[in-house]
Amino acid sequence: MNTLHPPHQEQEEEQEQEEARYEWDLSLSTVVSSSSSSASDVIGAIEFDPTDNIVATAGISRKIRFYGLPSLLRTSAAVSGGGGGVSFVDQATACEYYICTPAKLSSLRWRPGSGGRVIGSGDYDGVVTEYDLEKRTPVFERDEHGGRRVWSVDYTRNGGGSVVGASGSDDGTMQVWDPRCPPEESVGVVRPAGICRSAVCCVEFDPSGGPAVAVGCADRKGYVYDMRKLVDPALTLEGHTKTVSYVRFLDGGTVVTAGTDGCLKLWSVEDGRVIRTYEGHVNNRNFVGLSVWRNGALFGCGSENNKVFVYDKRWGKPVWIDGFEPVGMNSGSDKRFVSSVCWRQSGVDQCTLVAGGSDGVLQVYVGKTKP
């Protein structure tokens, strides 16, 4: 019995894949140069505020910088005369204000229910800090990770006074806490890898408000927990061959993971099945970022060849690639890479992706569906 697909079916599949690659017109809009050309300004986190109009960045520089997205895009439109050209602006001019922090930062997340006034951060000293952006001062600190680096911070999305936070760390735990309670009180402690104490690299709550929280670990696995029963994982995602550095919910039924094995994977939350694997970017050592645009089912990630990659949920190869500044001619001498990415979640026919580099350069991309 012949199990091969008929030639016409293969042609139809190839045509569908090609169409998926060209549904979006993506282009570089604005480049924000860095005040430093060295590793002292690696951008490790990028986040949009609840209005999707303010972009915050953080990293090695010990600063949280805030940019107004409309002004960045207006700058681009003004430079190009409305024709869609690329604008170049320096960091000092583009940054509206910044907050100095006592340690290097690895993650940022706005706290739901705060009206965009409070942003949380995780740092290299193992501390989770919340900052009041009107006063520009810290208003909350937690230090239960024993001085081990915090890689990720997130909050439940149900808003109001019932917001719960979580942080993942090199100490092998995900700490779950209530921002209203004193730092010595904890909602729960999760050790995904058990006695192995593998670093917890990423935590994310279901953005739709469900009870699930996903975790990515250095033990090469992803986990999904039910907040109502944190004792054991509801699901274990096994398939990566190296550290699972990021995990992101695409919707209530699927999760995307990124690994330092150089691939992304889309999983079914119902049964832990791998739906699709995405390959093309380069990632075998560094954190290069992962963000999903839920309205368009697009994934964005960085790469160690200093390029931004965009994948369509339906197609295992990248649908769009763009490089940061040209790499050095001397092979191996340029170690720059794209270290963080973040989609703006609003919009349906138009999208915005912000990417940051290991040299502190920030690039803003805009896209729209093709006619």
Side-chain angles (χ1 to χ4, degrees):
M1 180 177 179
N2 185 7
T3 59
L4 296 177
H5 295 302
H8 70 275
Q9 184 175 341
E10 292 182 353
Q11 291 173 359
E12 288 177 359
E13 290 176 354
E14 290 177 0
Q15 183 177 349
E16 289 176 358
Q17 291 171 345
E18 285 302 305
E19 288 175 354
R21 296 185 68 177
Y22 299 106
E23 288 181 3
W24 290 92
D25 183 9
L26 291 155
S27 61
L28 177 62
S29 173
T30 306
V31 177
V32 181
S33 64
S34 171
S35 58
S36 170
S37 59
S38 68
S40 63
D41 209 14
V42 176
I43 296 176
I46 304 172
E47 287 293 321
F48 279 96
D49 83 323
T51 70
D52 273 332
N53 289 317
I54 297 174
V55 181
T57 68
I60 304 300
S61 66
R62 291 184 171 88
K63 291 179 180 177
I64 306 175
R65 295 186 174 99
F66 298 87
Y67 302 87
L69 181 66
S71 65
L72 291 178
L73 298 180
R74 278 198 303 270
T75 298
S76 177
V79 168
S80 63
V86 180
S87 69
F88 296 84
V89 60
D90 64 273
Q91 192 178 80
T93 301
C95 180
E96 296 190 351
Y97 69 97
Y98 62 84
I99 295 175
C100 293
T101 64
K104 301 172 183 178
L105 299 183
S106 57
S107 57
L108 291 174
R109 191 75 85 192
W110 256 276
R111 194 175 96 184
S114 69
R117 179 173 175 169
V118 177
I119 193 169
S121 67
D123 69 30
Y124 280 37
D125 291 344
V127 179
V128 174
T129 306
E130 290 184 346
Y131 293 89
D132 184 312
L133 301 186
E134 290 186 6
K135 299 178 180 178
R136 302 185 187 179
T137 57
V139 292
F140 172 90
E141 286 189 356
R142 300 192 71 91
D143 188 15
E144 63 262 84
H145 288 289
R148 303 293 299 276
R149 182 180 308 185
V150 172
W151 284 115
S152 181
V153 172
D154 196 25
Y155 297 93
T156 52
R157 306 299 204 280
N158 45 9
S162 59
V163 169
V164 172
S167 52
S169 165
D170 265 346
D171 68 356
T173 71
M174 174 180 70
Q175 300 279 346
V176 184
W177 32 268
D178 188 332
R180 300 168 300 175
C181 297
E184 60 271 13
E185 295 184 17
S186 177
V187 173
V189 180
V190 177
R191 294 177 174 82
I195 60 174
C196 295
R197 298 177 67 89
S198 294
V200 176
C201 302
C202 185
V203 299
E204 182 172 271
F205 291 101
D206 181 351
S208 67
V213 56
V215 180
C217 285
D219 67 351
R220 308 176 183 180
K221 299 176 185 178
Y223 301 88
V224 178
Y225 287 85
D226 188 318
M227 282 292 293
R228 297 164 298 188
K229 185 183 178 182
L230 288 172
V231 178
D232 297 304
L235 203 63
T236 300
L237 310 176
E238 298 187 63
H240 284 283
T241 58
K242 295 179 71 175
T243 294
V244 176
S245 48
Y246 298 95
V247 57
R248 300 283 186 250
F249 282 92
L250 178 60
D251 50 47
T254 52
V255 169
V256 185
T257 58
T260 53
D261 54 3
C263 67
L264 313 181
K265 290 182 181 291
L266 179 67
W267 308 79
S268 167
V269 173
E270 182 179 353
D271 55 13
R273 172 177 52 91
V274 176
I275 299 171
R276 186 166 287 111
T277 297
Y278 307 85
E279 295 178 308
H281 62 286
V282 180
N283 185 202
N284 53 47
R285 181 176 180 179
N286 299 290
F287 282 70
V288 296
L290 171 67
S291 182
V292 302
W293 182 41
R294 300 179 184 94
N295 292 346
L298 298 179
F299 315 146
C301 68
S303 178
E304 289 166 359
N305 62 0
N306 214 28
K307 295 180 180 180
V308 179
F309 283 71
V310 173
Y311 294 90
D312 186 294
K313 168 187 174 181
R314 302 162 292 177
W315 172 232
K317 298 297 181 181
V319 297
W320 187 79
I321 303 170
D322 187 69
F324 266 42
E325 299 175 20
V327 297
M329 297 298 292
N330 184 11
S331 178
S333 64
D334 197 315
K335 301 298 184 182
R336 290 177 296 176
F337 59 96
V338 176
S339 53
S340 188
V341 294
C342 187
W343 288 100
R344 188 187 195 198
Q345 291 302 321
S346 58
V348 176
D349 297 324
Q350 296 183 338
C351 60
T352 305
L353 176 67
V354 180
S358 60
D359 55 1
V361 174
L362 198 67
Q363 297 198 168
V364 182
Y365 298 91
V366 295
K368 58 183 179 181
T369 53
K370 292 184 177 180

